[in-house]
Amino acid sequence: MTSAKAALFSAFGRTDSPRRETLRHELAREAGRDTSIVHKPRLVLASASPRRLMLLAQVGVEPDALRPASINEDPRMGEMPRGLAMRLARSKAEAARDQIANDRDIANAYVLAADTVVAYGNKVFGKPQHMEEAAKFLQQLSGRKHRVLTGVCLITPQDRALTRIVDTKVQFKHLSKSEIEAYIASREWRGKAGGYAIQGLAGCFIQKISGSYTNVVGLPLTEVTNLLLGEGFPIHFSWLRAAEAGTDSY
C-alpha cells in the first residue's frame, strides 16, 4: 500500500470519540473491584449557563468543571417538546462525558446536563435568533398558558444514565405593544428559550405558575438534588461545612 493510500485509510479510520477503553472505564472498573477505593466525588456540568450555575450554588453545589456540549438543538421531524427536551439533555450529558473520558483530573466525575424547552401545544419556542423573532414569540405567548419542560440527565462515574423530565405551566398576562417593545429593547431575551427570562424583567409578565419555578429558570432543583443524593453525591456536606464555619446565608 502506498503511503498516500495508507494516510487516506488512516484519516477515514480516525474518530473524535474517545477510545473504547478510556481512563473513565479503567477507574470505574478499579472502583468496582476494590470497594475500599474512595475518590472525592466530582461534578461536571455540561453547560456554561450562569442561571444553572446560580441555581446549583443556591443548594451549595459548585461544579468542578464546565463542559458545554455543542450539539444540534433543532427538533426532529414530528418530535414532541417532551421528547426533544429529554433527547437533548441526554445528548449533552453524553457529549460532556466523552470530553472528559481521558482527563486525569475529572475522568470519573458525575456529569449533569439539562435542556429547557418552551412549548405552546406542540409548537416549540427555541432561543430567538433576532429581535423580530423574539417579539413574535412574546406576541404568541401573550395572554396564553404555555409549558416549560426541562429534561435532566445525570451520568454516574459507572456510566449509568438517569433521566428526569419536569413540566411547569406558565400563564402570561396580555402584553401591550409597548411592553413587548421595551422588553425587546432590554436585550434580556437573548439566549433564552421562549425569548424571556422569568427571573428577570419578564417576571412581571407572569400571572400564574403551576409547578417548579426553578424549572422555568433552567434547572429543577428538587429533581436535580434528588438525583445527586440518590447516587451518593454529598450535597449536604457543604451545608454542614457552612454550619461549622458559622456562616449564615440569609
PDB file of all heavy atoms in Angstrom, residues 4-23:
ATOM      1  N   ALA A   4       0.426   7.292   0.420  1.00  0.00           N
ATOM      2  CA  ALA A   4      -0.754   8.156   0.228  1.00  0.00           C
ATOM      3  C   ALA A   4      -2.027   7.402   0.582  1.00  0.00           C
ATOM      4  O   ALA A   4      -2.918   7.925   1.250  1.00  0.00           O
ATOM      5  CB  ALA A   4      -0.806   8.655  -1.214  1.00  0.00           C
ATOM      6  N   LYS A   5      -2.103   6.123   0.115  1.00  0.00           N
ATOM      7  CA  LYS A   5      -3.279   5.318   0.439  1.00  0.00           C
ATOM      8  C   LYS A   5      -3.357   5.036   1.927  1.00  0.00           C
ATOM      9  O   LYS A   5      -4.419   5.038   2.528  1.00  0.00           O
ATOM     10  CB  LYS A   5      -3.248   4.006  -0.348  1.00  0.00           C
ATOM     11  CG  LYS A   5      -3.575   4.153  -1.819  1.00  0.00           C
ATOM     12  CD  LYS A   5      -3.614   2.790  -2.493  1.00  0.00           C
ATOM     13  CE  LYS A   5      -3.997   2.933  -3.967  1.00  0.00           C
ATOM     14  NZ  LYS A   5      -4.000   1.609  -4.647  1.00  0.00           N
ATOM     15  N   ALA A   6      -2.219   4.762   2.531  1.00  0.00           N
ATOM     16  CA  ALA A   6      -2.191   4.489   3.970  1.00  0.00           C
ATOM     17  C   ALA A   6      -2.690   5.695   4.746  1.00  0.00           C
ATOM     18  O   ALA A   6      -3.447   5.564   5.714  1.00  0.00           O
ATOM     19  CB  ALA A   6      -0.766   4.134   4.395  1.00  0.00           C
ATOM     20  N   ALA A   7      -2.271   6.875   4.335  1.00  0.00           N
ATOM     21  CA  ALA A   7      -2.716   8.091   5.016  1.00  0.00           C
ATOM     22  C   ALA A   7      -4.212   8.285   4.858  1.00  0.00           C
ATOM     23  O   ALA A   7      -4.896   8.723   5.788  1.00  0.00           O
ATOM     24  CB  ALA A   7      -1.962   9.306   4.465  1.00  0.00           C
ATOM     25  N   LEU A   8      -4.725   7.940   3.663  1.00  0.00           N
ATOM     26  CA  LEU A   8      -6.154   8.095   3.416  1.00  0.00           C
ATOM     27  C   LEU A   8      -6.969   7.172   4.299  1.00  0.00           C
ATOM     28  O   LEU A   8      -7.947   7.568   4.928  1.00  0.00           O
ATOM     29  CB  LEU A   8      -6.453   7.824   1.941  1.00  0.00           C
ATOM     30  CG  LEU A   8      -7.917   7.990   1.495  1.00  0.00           C
ATOM     31  CD1 LEU A   8      -8.354   9.443   1.702  1.00  0.00           C
ATOM     32  CD2 LEU A   8      -8.079   7.597   0.031  1.00  0.00           C
ATOM     33  N   PHE A   9      -6.552   5.895   4.378  1.00  0.00           N
ATOM     34  CA  PHE A   9      -7.263   4.947   5.238  1.00  0.00           C
ATOM     35  C   PHE A   9      -7.171   5.342   6.703  1.00  0.00           C
ATOM     36  O   PHE A   9      -8.115   5.192   7.474  1.00  0.00           O
ATOM     37  CB  PHE A   9      -6.698   3.532   5.044  1.00  0.00           C
ATOM     38  CG  PHE A   9      -7.249   2.827   3.842  1.00  0.00           C
ATOM     39  CD1 PHE A   9      -6.464   2.615   2.730  1.00  0.00           C
ATOM     40  CD2 PHE A   9      -8.574   2.398   3.818  1.00  0.00           C
ATOM     41  CE1 PHE A   9      -6.979   1.980   1.613  1.00  0.00           C
ATOM     42  CE2 PHE A   9      -9.089   1.753   2.709  1.00  0.00           C
ATOM     43  CZ  PHE A   9      -8.292   1.538   1.590  1.00  0.00           C
ATOM     44  N   SER A  10      -6.010   5.891   7.084  1.00  0.00           N
ATOM     45  CA  SER A  10      -5.839   6.336   8.462  1.00  0.00           C
ATOM     46  C   SER A  10      -6.789   7.468   8.785  1.00  0.00           C
ATOM     47  O   SER A  10      -7.383   7.522   9.857  1.00  0.00           O
ATOM     48  CB  SER A  10      -4.392   6.792   8.680  1.00  0.00           C
ATOM     49  OG  SER A  10      -4.229   7.332   9.972  1.00  0.00           O
ATOM     50  N   ALA A  11      -6.965   8.392   7.830  1.00  0.00           N
ATOM     51  CA  ALA A  11      -7.862   9.530   8.041  1.00  0.00           C
ATOM     52  C   ALA A  11      -9.293   9.060   8.195  1.00  0.00           C
ATOM     53  O   ALA A  11     -10.037   9.546   9.043  1.00  0.00           O
ATOM     54  CB  ALA A  11      -7.743  10.507   6.869  1.00  0.00           C
ATOM     55  N   PHE A  12      -9.707   8.084   7.358  1.00  0.00           N
ATOM     56  CA  PHE A  12     -11.069   7.568   7.460  1.00  0.00           C
ATOM     57  C   PHE A  12     -11.266   6.798   8.756  1.00  0.00           C
ATOM     58  O   PHE A  12     -12.365   6.709   9.282  1.00  0.00           O
ATOM     59  CB  PHE A  12     -11.380   6.656   6.270  1.00  0.00           C
ATOM     60  CG  PHE A  12     -11.808   7.400   5.042  1.00  0.00           C
ATOM     61  CD1 PHE A  12     -11.060   7.348   3.881  1.00  0.00           C
ATOM     62  CD2 PHE A  12     -12.955   8.170   5.053  1.00  0.00           C
ATOM     63  CE1 PHE A  12     -11.453   8.039   2.741  1.00  0.00           C
ATOM     64  CE2 PHE A  12     -13.362   8.874   3.916  1.00  0.00           C
ATOM     65  CZ  PHE A  12     -12.602   8.808   2.757  1.00  0.00           C
ATOM     66  N   GLY A  13     -10.193   6.222   9.274  1.00  0.00           N
ATOM     67  CA  GLY A  13     -10.320   5.404  10.481  1.00  0.00           C
ATOM     68  C   GLY A  13     -10.347   6.213  11.753  1.00  0.00           C
ATOM     69  O   GLY A  13     -10.729   5.713  12.801  1.00  0.00           O
ATOM     70  N   ARG A  14      -9.943   7.487  11.676  1.00  0.00           N
ATOM     71  CA  ARG A  14      -9.923   8.302  12.885  1.00  0.00           C
ATOM     72  C   ARG A  14     -11.328   8.656  13.325  1.00  0.00           C
ATOM     73  O   ARG A  14     -12.254   8.748  12.524  1.00  0.00           O
ATOM     74  CB  ARG A  14      -9.123   9.587  12.641  1.00  0.00           C
ATOM     75  CG  ARG A  14      -7.627   9.366  12.614  1.00  0.00           C
ATOM     76  CD  ARG A  14      -6.914  10.693  12.814  1.00  0.00           C
ATOM     77  NE  ARG A  14      -7.260  11.653  11.791  1.00  0.00           N
ATOM     78  CZ  ARG A  14      -6.564  11.822  10.676  1.00  0.00           C
ATOM     79  NH1 ARG A  14      -5.513  11.072  10.412  1.00  0.00           N
ATOM     80  NH2 ARG A  14      -6.924  12.745   9.802  1.00  0.00           N
ATOM     81  N   THR A  15     -11.480   8.898  14.616  1.00  0.00           N
ATOM     82  CA  THR A  15     -12.772   9.308  15.173  1.00  0.00           C
ATOM     83  C   THR A  15     -12.541  10.306  16.278  1.00  0.00           C
ATOM     84  O   THR A  15     -11.508  10.254  16.952  1.00  0.00           O
ATOM     85  CB  THR A  15     -13.565   8.100  15.717  1.00  0.00           C
ATOM     86  OG1 THR A  15     -14.738   8.585  16.372  1.00  0.00           O
ATOM     87  CG2 THR A  15     -12.755   7.295  16.718  1.00  0.00           C
ATOM     88  N   ASP A  16     -13.471  11.227  16.437  1.00  0.00           N
ATOM     89  CA  ASP A  16     -13.363  12.204  17.516  1.00  0.00           C
ATOM     90  C   ASP A  16     -13.873  11.647  18.839  1.00  0.00           C
ATOM     91  O   ASP A  16     -13.773  12.298  19.867  1.00  0.00           O
ATOM     92  CB  ASP A  16     -14.158  13.473  17.157  1.00  0.00           C
ATOM     93  CG  ASP A  16     -13.511  14.217  16.001  1.00  0.00           C
ATOM     94  OD1 ASP A  16     -12.279  14.116  15.876  1.00  0.00           O
ATOM     95  OD2 ASP A  16     -14.238  14.875  15.241  1.00  0.00           O
ATOM     96  N   SER A  17     -14.478  10.466  18.805  1.00  0.00           N
ATOM     97  CA  SER A  17     -14.971   9.846  20.030  1.00  0.00           C
ATOM     98  C   SER A  17     -13.786   9.301  20.822  1.00  0.00           C
ATOM     99  O   SER A  17     -12.736   8.970  20.263  1.00  0.00           O
ATOM    100  CB  SER A  17     -15.937   8.706  19.705  1.00  0.00           C
ATOM    101  OG  SER A  17     -17.034   9.210  18.985  1.00  0.00           O
ATOM    102  N   PRO A  18     -13.943   9.180  22.152  1.00  0.00           N
ATOM    103  CA  PRO A  18     -12.844   8.645  22.944  1.00  0.00           C
ATOM    104  C   PRO A  18     -12.600   7.177  22.605  1.00  0.00           C
ATOM    105  O   PRO A  18     -13.467   6.507  22.065  1.00  0.00           O
ATOM    106  CB  PRO A  18     -13.346   8.812  24.394  1.00  0.00           C
ATOM    107  CG  PRO A  18     -14.823   8.849  24.283  1.00  0.00           C
ATOM    108  CD  PRO A  18     -15.107   9.507  22.972  1.00  0.00           C
ATOM    109  N   ARG A  19     -11.403   6.664  22.930  1.00  0.00           N
ATOM    110  CA  ARG A  19     -11.107   5.258  22.712  1.00  0.00           C
ATOM    111  C   ARG A  19     -12.133   4.386  23.431  1.00  0.00           C
ATOM    112  O   ARG A  19     -12.736   4.796  24.416  1.00  0.00           O
ATOM    113  CB  ARG A  19      -9.732   4.893  23.275  1.00  0.00           C
ATOM    114  CG  ARG A  19      -8.619   5.862  23.003  1.00  0.00           C
ATOM    115  CD  ARG A  19      -7.302   5.291  23.498  1.00  0.00           C
ATOM    116  NE  ARG A  19      -7.268   5.059  24.926  1.00  0.00           N
ATOM    117  CZ  ARG A  19      -6.889   5.966  25.811  1.00  0.00           C
ATOM    118  NH1 ARG A  19      -6.593   7.180  25.394  1.00  0.00           N
ATOM    119  NH2 ARG A  19      -6.825   5.686  27.082  1.00  0.00           N
ATOM    120  N   ARG A  20     -12.271   3.156  22.917  1.00  0.00           N
ATOM    121  CA  ARG A  20     -13.215   2.240  23.550  1.00  0.00           C
ATOM    122  C   ARG A  20     -12.846   2.030  25.016  1.00  0.00           C
ATOM    123  O   ARG A  20     -13.693   1.992  25.883  1.00  0.00           O
ATOM    124  CB  ARG A  20     -13.233   0.910  22.789  1.00  0.00           C
ATOM    125  CG  ARG A  20     -14.225  -0.097  23.342  1.00  0.00           C
ATOM    126  CD  ARG A  20     -14.271  -1.317  22.478  1.00  0.00           C
ATOM    127  NE  ARG A  20     -14.729  -1.017  21.134  1.00  0.00           N
ATOM    128  CZ  ARG A  20     -16.025  -0.917  20.810  1.00  0.00           C
ATOM    129  NH1 ARG A  20     -16.952  -1.093  21.721  1.00  0.00           N
ATOM    130  NH2 ARG A  20     -16.377  -0.637  19.572  1.00  0.00           N
ATOM    131  N   GLU A  21     -11.559   1.854  25.287  1.00  0.00           N
ATOM    132  CA  GLU A  21     -11.101   1.690  26.665  1.00  0.00           C
ATOM    133  C   GLU A  21     -10.553   3.026  27.139  1.00  0.00           C
ATOM    134  O   GLU A  21      -9.443   3.421  26.782  1.00  0.00           O
ATOM    135  CB  GLU A  21     -10.028   0.602  26.755  1.00  0.00           C
ATOM    136  CG  GLU A  21      -9.491   0.384  28.157  1.00  0.00           C
ATOM    137  CD  GLU A  21     -10.570  -0.018  29.160  1.00  0.00           C
ATOM    138  OE1 GLU A  21     -11.568  -0.651  28.758  1.00  0.00           O
ATOM    139  OE2 GLU A  21     -10.424   0.303  30.350  1.00  0.00           O
ATOM    140  N   THR A  22     -11.308   3.763  27.899  1.00  0.00           N
ATOM    141  CA  THR A  22     -10.905   5.091  28.356  1.00  0.00           C
ATOM    142  C   THR A  22     -10.453   5.041  29.808  1.00  0.00           C
ATOM    143  O   THR A  22     -10.680   4.056  30.528  1.00  0.00           O
ATOM    144  CB  THR A  22     -12.078   6.076  28.247  1.00  0.00           C
ATOM    145  OG1 THR A  22     -13.122   5.652  29.134  1.00  0.00           O
ATOM    146  CG2 THR A  22     -12.619   6.141  26.825  1.00  0.00           C
ATOM    147  N   LEU A  23      -9.823   6.106  30.242  1.00  0.00           N
ATOM    148  CA  LEU A  23      -9.438   6.228  31.642  1.00  0.00           C
ATOM    149  C   LEU A  23     -10.672   6.146  32.533  1.00  0.00           C
ATOM    150  O   LEU A  23     -10.634   5.551  33.617  1.00  0.00           O
ATOM    151  CB  LEU A  23      -8.707   7.558  31.854  1.00  0.00           C
ATOM    152  CG  LEU A  23      -8.323   7.899  33.294  1.00  0.00           C
ATOM    153  CD1 LEU A  23      -7.405   6.837  33.884  1.00  0.00           C
ATOM    154  CD2 LEU A  23      -7.667   9.273  33.359  1.00  0.00           C
TER     155      LEU A  23
END
